[in-house]
Amino acid sequence: MSAQGFGASVRRKEDRRFLLGKGQYTDDITLPHQSYAVFVRSPHAHANLGAIDAAKAKAVPGVLAVLTGADVAAAGLGGIPCGWAVKSKDGSSMVEPPHPALAQGAVRHVGDPVAMVIADSKTAARAAAALVDVDYQVQPVAASITAATAADAPLVWPDAKGNVCFDWHLGDPASTDAAFAKAKHVVEIELTNSRVAPNAMEPRAAIGHYDAANDHTTLYTTSQNPHLIRLLMGAFTLKVPEHKLRVVAPDVGGGFGSKIYHYAEELLVAWASRVVGRPVKWTSDRMEAFVSDAHGRDHISKAQLALDANGKFLGLRVATLANIGAYLSTFAPAIPTYLYATLLSGPYDFPAIYAEVKAIFTHTVAVDAYRGAGRPEATYLLERLVDKAARQLGIDRIELRRKNLIRTDQFPYQTQVALAYDIGNYQATLDMALASIDHAGYDKRKQATEAKGKLRGFGISTYIEACGIAPSALVGALGARAGLYEAATVRVHPTGSVSVFTGTHSHGQGHETTFAQIISEKLGVPVENVEVVHGDTDRIPFGMGTYGSRSAAVGGSAIVKAIDKIVEKGKKIAAHLLEASAADVEFVDGKYRVVGTDRAKAFGEVAFAAYVPHNYPIETVEPGLEENAFYDPKNFTFPGGTHLVEVEVDPETGVVEIAEVAIADDVGVVINPMIVDGQAHGGLAQGIGQALLEEAVYDADGQLVNGSYLNYVMPRAADLPFFKVGNHVTACTHNPLGIKGVGETGAIGVPPAVINAVIDALAPLGVTDISMPATPEKVWRAIQAAKKGA
Amino acid sequence: MAITLRVNRQAHTVDCAPNTLLVDVLREKLRLTGTHVGCDTSQCGACTVHVDGRSVKSCTMLAVEAADAEITTIEGLASSADGSSGRSGLADGGNLHPMQAAFQECHGLQCGFCTPGMVMSATDLCRRNPKPTEHEVRHWLEGNLCRCTGYHNIVKAVLAGAEAMGGKAK
Ligand code: FES
Ligand code: FES
């Protein structure tokens, strides 16, 4: 409709304040009389807690309080709740251990908070924290899936026998067995999906401010979903009614899932402010972040693929062990189940699938959603397995995929793992990506690489994912303890400018621009005249926040619903002004017009009349022009596509260089191509990071051996090329915008493409497997081992 | 102890301990919170400022060491010598520094947290090397981490910013 509507790469409205250094992140906020909190965290992965002696700490000048688990218990604060309950195969509930905000009786991972020191200054709080004397009685440790599932493994929780949190399954074992019985080929794979640390560049921070005069608490926090935090704190942890608690998530410097969860520190600063009578601020150090932010991935899986003589997939069997950490983080149980196993059909037509997932407690920090959350794990498994099948059967990898991709005439497609895909065109994205990378020219590039004494490999991944989670009734039946709708308010001001209040939260996604574009598209109001408000429970009626690429698909749909109500109400006002019947008035190009005439009222005129109702149908239409809407999704959305990677490997050093990345995604209707491409770029970098560089490594004692930027390696500019990004749109059929979601595609699709490319490069040497991250050392060792074996 | 710092062409006298880091003085005492802290091991570059025109990680420098220097932070960049010249031809060139404008034009930022450091670092590069290549940009930015953009648009922004600052990219 307008030049700033859908399809326009409008430059971002939010950029100015960030570029001028005027963003306001939580740590940038300083409240009068603010005090500072520093946490004493366990240096041990498992220990019983004896006495905590805080006398020396309390004697440090400036110290206001030293609080421990005993104080938390005495204050009646609730434990940190889990937001999703998964049932085991036998119908029993998952083991849901207590999670006090400060450890009580025992610590269960390095970084488990034991005491909170509050002082006048950060320096004093730090000095005092070092003086808190804790009697740790060290206990045996199970810091990995392998250690925790060994016979006689030390138990993280006495109730969780074998350290199993739940033993869950999905799909039909009988039809899957039957499929394998008639298979011509069975291909097997065993692999790990490496553990990674999210590492948003802004460390978590929180400021609690208790206003005693009004008995009201304000929490500033680095959150992707302030209303969810208010919900959990109000109902479960701080236990105050909503109107006595305001949660503000101001500018937030990236999240990638790690800022979804309700963390103990949020509760503790809010409560401590009441205790010390001053605002309390905490800002995480980076090393502290490594041991206190939830991590991602960490699976060990075995899978078998059944194929007929022609390479058609007959069935899939998957058994996965998922590390869930020591405590259950907010969405942890949903990740390796409803966001993982439900995706195991991928973009393929599978007649039978059976998946079993055991979640395993370990003495490590919690594992929860990290960009992609379950879908990268499913994609990695499937795409590695399909590649292995192609090699084993001697079928071209692209051809094997083509043979099995769901055809466009099969939509809507009911998978064997609960999900029903509404629409897609996986052949189109495959063709688009192959053209984009110039696959026809691959052999030439390979020769050029070989002329340099290096090896070249080509890797492919055809993937599907699920976003915009999903009807509240459905997720409720699956164990979610919250609804997953989104809320919006659209307020048209008297002069026709617009404020949009959204329950989603932007921490890099650019909602202040894209949501303004929705208004521009639908109401014809220029984006400069639209303000998008997010991140404050006092300003926004309600919301569920931003995760799972839901903001545009679900949050945007709520905005559209509110806009529709505005348009309808405006019709009645315009009809009055135009002396026509509302049925004869249409809203086109930002104007209300009597159908078939040139009699029209501009949107701004109608807005003005709504607030200055001198000539107005006051008997039947209320003044004002503001509407609320809640949108509950009808289904998940299903972005998908093809990710292609070419690598160059130096056989002498094992160094893998990313030579080409070309992707073609179908993320549904695109509001702002510049922003959509940017989301893909970021996801790709994180996916390549996991494939080549990153891994959070715990040793047998449960120490995180690379918990700082000195040794946790993330991609830097020189590690990556420019990416070739393309979009082929099939519009989502069940939301009003046709949007599917783009936040996570890069991180989901690309890791197996990278590893498949590395294996392809090394295949002539006899290498058949390499695990993430494919570091130079690992690649070099694989080459040496293959040479020895040959 | 009292020290006097010249920041964004203004003198400030602040009281701080001798071991106080420059970044802490900027953020806590002068409330110049555009300079960010992303790590505790001098790896991320979110804290990058200019000290006598050269990019420096302000978490690696004591405030006292900067006492005689001219410090520019992201807040002062647009009004620095090569600041908003209006000759960039890029969106908003009028009141952003050409490098800032290039970041907006090329979508070189998402959450914005790494951005001040990136912009300060990139500006220094382009003052030293007015026509950097893609390769030179990527290697120059070695000290700056971004978790959002995959660097794709940051590199494009720096190349565009270099051009806008006067060099014509190679
Ligand atoms: S805060 Fe200075 S380099 Fe990270
Ligand atoms: S824009 Fe978020 S870290 Fe770079």
Side-chain angles (χ1 to χ4, degrees):
Chain A
M1 176 186 264
S2 86
Q4 298 172 321
F6 292 178
S9 288
V10 175
R11 299 304 186 262
R12 300 201 322 171
K13 290 159 64 79
E14 44 271 80
D15 285 354
R16 266 188 79 77
R17 67 173 185 274
F18 295 137
L19 284 162
L20 291 167
K22 299 293 185 189
Q24 196 169 54
Y25 302 87
T26 301
D27 188 58
D28 300 342
I29 296 167
T30 297
L31 299 179
H33 309 299
Q34 170 178 288
S35 62
Y36 297 84
V38 167
F39 289 93
V40 177
R41 295 182 184 274
S42 172
H44 305 289
H46 189 197
N48 291 334
L49 280 180
I52 299 174
D53 180 358
K56 272 187 251 152
K58 284 181 178 159
V60 171
V63 168
L64 304 171
V66 178
L67 303 169
T68 67
D71 301 306
V72 166
L77 301 180
I80 305 301
C82 178
W84 201 300
V86 165
K87 283 199 187 320
S88 286
K89 286 172 185 167
D90 62 6
S92 62
S93 299
M94 67 182 187
V95 176
E96 198 170 350
H99 187 183
L102 290 171
Q104 295 172 5
V107 287
R108 292 183 177 81
H109 66 86
V110 168
D112 209 354
V114 172
M116 179 187 198
V117 178
I118 301 147
D120 271 341
S121 70
K122 222 185 274 180
T123 318
R126 266 200 203 122
L131 296 174
V132 176
D133 194 8
V134 183
D135 174 19
Y136 295 104
Q137 296 142 19
V138 175
Q139 301 294 312
V141 172
S144 65
I145 292 175
T146 310
T149 53
D152 303 326
L155 292 184
V156 182
W157 298 100
D159 290 350
K161 302 293 171 229
N163 288 313
V164 175
C165 172
F166 56 78
D167 178 3
W168 175 92
H169 66 162
L170 184 67
D172 183 3
S175 67
T176 306
D177 286 349
F180 275 84
K182 66 175 185 206
K184 179 81 193 320
H185 307 282
V186 172
V187 180
E188 300 192 338
I189 202 163
E190 218 181 303
L191 43 73
T192 61
N193 199 296
S194 44
R195 181 178 182 121
V196 287
N199 275 307
M201 290 312 302
E202 178 206 22
R204 285 193 298 121
I207 310 171
H209 179 203
Y210 178 66
D211 167 4
N214 292 298
D215 184 30
H216 185 276
T217 302
T218 302
L219 172 72
Y220 298 88
T221 180
T222 50
S223 176
Q224 300 177 213
N225 28 246
H227 287 87
L228 188 69
I229 301 306
R230 188 185 63 171
L231 186 71
L232 295 174
M233 286 180 69
F236 299 107
T237 63
L238 192 61
K239 300 179 187 168
V240 296
E242 280 87 344
H243 68 285
K244 299 245 173 234
L245 176 60
R246 173 186 180 199
V247 178
V248 183
D251 288 327
V252 172
F256 317 115
S258 69
K259 292 171 180 169
I260 298 172
Y261 324 118
H262 179 27
Y263 286 97
E265 296 89 352
E266 294 173 317
L267 164 66
L268 291 168
V269 293
W271 164 64
S273 172
R274 211 182 286 185
V275 175
V276 302
R278 292 167 60 173
V280 176
K281 179 185 205 170
W282 166 76
T283 304
S284 177
D285 290 340
R286 180 55 60 183
M287 292 192 218
E288 188 177 16
F290 269 100
V291 296
S292 66
D293 294 0
H295 290 179
R297 320 280 192 256
D298 204 343
H299 286 193
I300 298 178
S301 296
K302 286 185 189 166
Q304 299 167 309
L305 174 64
L307 305 96
D308 73 10
N310 299 318
K312 173 79 188 75
F313 299 164
L314 297 177
L316 177 70
R317 244 191 229 129
V318 177
T320 292
L321 299 173
N323 191 341
I324 206 154
Y327 298 97
L328 293 182
S329 174
T330 309
F331 285 128
I335 310 309
T337 52
Y338 296 107
L339 290 174
Y340 164 70
T342 49
L343 273 298
L344 284 169
S345 194
Y348 306 115
D349 180 20
F350 264 107
I353 300 176
Y354 181 58
E356 294 173 284
V357 178
K358 274 189 204 174
I360 307 298
F361 287 116
T362 60
H363 290 110
T364 66
V365 74
V367 180
D368 203 329
Y370 164 60
R371 201 169 196 166
R375 292 97 90 206
E377 294 90 315
T379 303
Y380 183 70
L381 177 121
L382 208 47
E383 292 306 295
R384 289 283 317 271
L385 182 56
V386 171
D387 249 41
K388 192 169 179 191
R391 284 182 197 284
Q392 200 166 311
L393 273 62
I395 304 179
D396 176 74
R397 289 174 287 164
I398 299 169
E399 270 333 293
L400 183 60
R401 286 177 169 84
R402 274 196 205 283
K403 233 185 245 289
N404 289 284
L405 289 176
I406 297 164
R407 298 185 314 272
T408 49
D409 62 3
Q410 285 176 288
F411 292 104
Y413 179 83
Q414 177 62 54
T415 69
Q416 301 303 309
V417 276
L419 297 179
Y421 306 160
D422 62 332
I423 194 167
N425 186 341
Y426 309 138
Q427 292 77 9
T429 43
L430 174 57
D431 290 337
M432 192 176 184
L434 287 167
S436 160
I437 206 168
D438 177 28
H439 191 55
Y442 177 68
D443 288 341
K444 241 200 204 148
R445 293 193 293 280
K446 191 173 164 77
Q447 281 161 18
T449 302
E450 284 166 357
K452 293 188 289 185
K454 291 188 180 178
L455 304 164
R456 196 171 186 103
F458 165 74
I460 176 169
S461 151
T462 43
Y463 77 96
I464 174 95
E465 63 136 332
C467 294
I469 180 171
S472 291
L474 172 72
V475 296
L478 300 180
R481 289 166 169 164
L484 285 167
Y485 49 82
E486 196 44 77
T489 298
V490 174
R491 178 179 300 160
V492 181
H493 300 287
T495 59
S497 67
V498 176
S499 295
V500 177
F501 300 84
T502 172
T504 66
H505 186 277
S506 181
H507 29 281
Q509 295 87 342
H511 299 166
E512 291 172 38
T513 304
T514 46
F515 289 178
Q517 286 183 261
I518 297 178
I519 298 293
S520 185
E521 170 83 13
K522 301 280 179 188
L523 295 178
V525 176
V527 296
E528 295 74 26
N529 291 354
V530 184
E531 163 202 40
V532 175
V533 181
H534 61 97
D536 184 344
T537 60
D538 264 16
R539 294 193 68 191
I540 296 125
F542 206 73
M544 297 309 297
T546 288
Y547 37 82
S549 306
R550 71 193 298 273
S551 297
V554 186
S557 294
I559 294 170
V560 170
K561 274 187 81 174
I563 291 171
D564 289 345
K565 294 185 194 178
I566 299 261
V567 168
E568 278 315 301
K569 179 170 180 179
K571 256 185 205 165
K572 291 180 197 154
I573 302 167
H576 179 90
L577 297 175
L578 292 162
E579 294 173 352
S581 137
D584 294 334
V585 174
E586 60 180 2
F587 185 64
V588 188
D589 292 338
K591 281 196 187 83
Y592 288 99
R593 198 172 56 192
V594 180
V595 178
T597 73
D598 57 1
R599 284 165 53 218
K601 286 281 170 197
F603 181 69
E605 292 178 86
V606 171
F608 191 77
Y611 288 94
V612 187
H614 295 162
N615 174 18
Y616 196 82
I618 200 83
E619 296 299 326
T620 52
V621 183
E622 291 172 22
L625 200 52
E626 167 169 339
E627 297 287 351
N628 287 313
F630 283 67
Y631 175 79
D632 200 69
K634 297 189 178 69
N635 188 359
F636 287 84
T637 64
F638 299 99
T642 297
H643 289 189
L644 304 177
V645 170
E646 290 178 15
V647 296
E648 285 191 335
V649 183
D650 184 337
E652 300 303 318
T653 60
V655 170
V656 177
E657 220 175 289
I658 300 282
E660 295 281 345
V661 178
I663 69 169
D665 289 333
D666 177 358
V667 298
V669 170
V670 170
I671 297 176
N672 184 319
M674 174 191 84
I675 287 177
V676 162
D677 289 353
Q679 288 294 307
H681 299 155
L684 287 170
Q686 288 180 355
I688 292 167
Q690 185 185 14
L692 293 184
L693 304 167
E694 300 179 34
E695 183 176 22
V697 179
Y698 280 94
D699 68 13
D701 295 329
Q703 296 294 331
L704 183 62
V705 301
N706 56 347
S708 93
Y709 282 175
L710 289 172
N711 40 23
Y712 186 94
V713 186
M714 292 187 293
R716 292 175 184 268
D719 297 319
L720 299 169
F722 284 129
F723 307 119
K724 298 184 172 113
V725 174
N727 281 294
H728 173 91
V729 176
T730 64
C732 169
T733 59
H734 55 75
N735 68 43
L737 288 165
I739 287 173
K740 298 182 183 177
V742 69
E744 297 158 290
T745 52
I748 292 168
V750 92
V754 174
I755 297 298
N756 286 340
V758 174
I759 294 173
D760 184 48
L762 302 180
L765 306 179
V767 174
T768 56
D769 182 29
I770 197 121
S771 61
M772 297 193 290
T775 57
E777 182 188 339
K778 211 186 271 177
V779 171
W780 185 84
R781 283 185 194 282
I783 294 171
Q784 303 313 312
K787 275 188 189 158
K788 254 183 230 153
Chain B
M1 63 187 285
I3 58 167
T4 300
L5 289 176
R6 272 190 67 77
V7 182
N8 300 333
R9 284 156 301 284
Q10 261 194 306
H12 301 268
T13 301
V14 295
D15 189 35
C16 68
N19 61 352
T20 308
L21 298 172
L22 176 58
V23 67
D24 289 333
V25 170
L26 294 174
R27 286 184 57 80
E28 313 274 331
K29 303 273 179 189
L30 304 182
R31 298 273 171 87
L32 291 167
T33 54
T35 301
H36 296 154
V37 177
C39 73
D40 35 26
T41 53
S42 312
Q43 305 286 309
C44 76
C47 61
T48 305
V49 299
H50 292 168
V51 177
D52 288 333
R54 295 278 150 125
S55 55
V56 168
K57 290 178 177 178
S58 61
C59 74
T60 62
M61 191 175 203
L62 297 176
V64 288
E65 294 178 275
D68 296 323
E70 183 71 47
I71 299 161
T72 306
T73 69
I74 189 71
E75 291 91 341
L77 183 66
S79 51
S80 64
D82 56 4
S84 62
S85 57
R87 68 193 148 93
S88 70
L90 296 167
D92 250 332
N95 34 22
L96 295 176
H97 183 279
M99 187 59 74
Q100 291 169 320
F103 268 69
Q104 176 168 42
E105 180 61 23
C106 299
H107 189 31
L109 65 154
Q110 291 184 22
C111 78
F113 197 79
C114 73
T115 309
M118 287 285 178
V119 168
M120 297 309 277
S121 182
T123 314
D124 184 21
L125 165 67
C126 298
R127 286 174 184 162
R128 294 173 195 235
N129 176 0
K131 298 176 186 176
T133 61
E134 177 202 340
H135 183 83
E136 286 167 341
V137 171
R138 288 189 185 273
H139 284 272
W140 176 268
L141 294 178
E142 199 103 282
N144 292 76
L145 277 169
C146 174
R147 195 59 159 165
C148 296
T149 63
Y151 305 99
H152 183 110
N153 286 337
I154 289 179
V155 175
K156 297 230 149 142
V158 177
L159 292 171
E163 204 173 329
M165 281 172 69
K168 200 90 183 105
K170 279 180 211 166

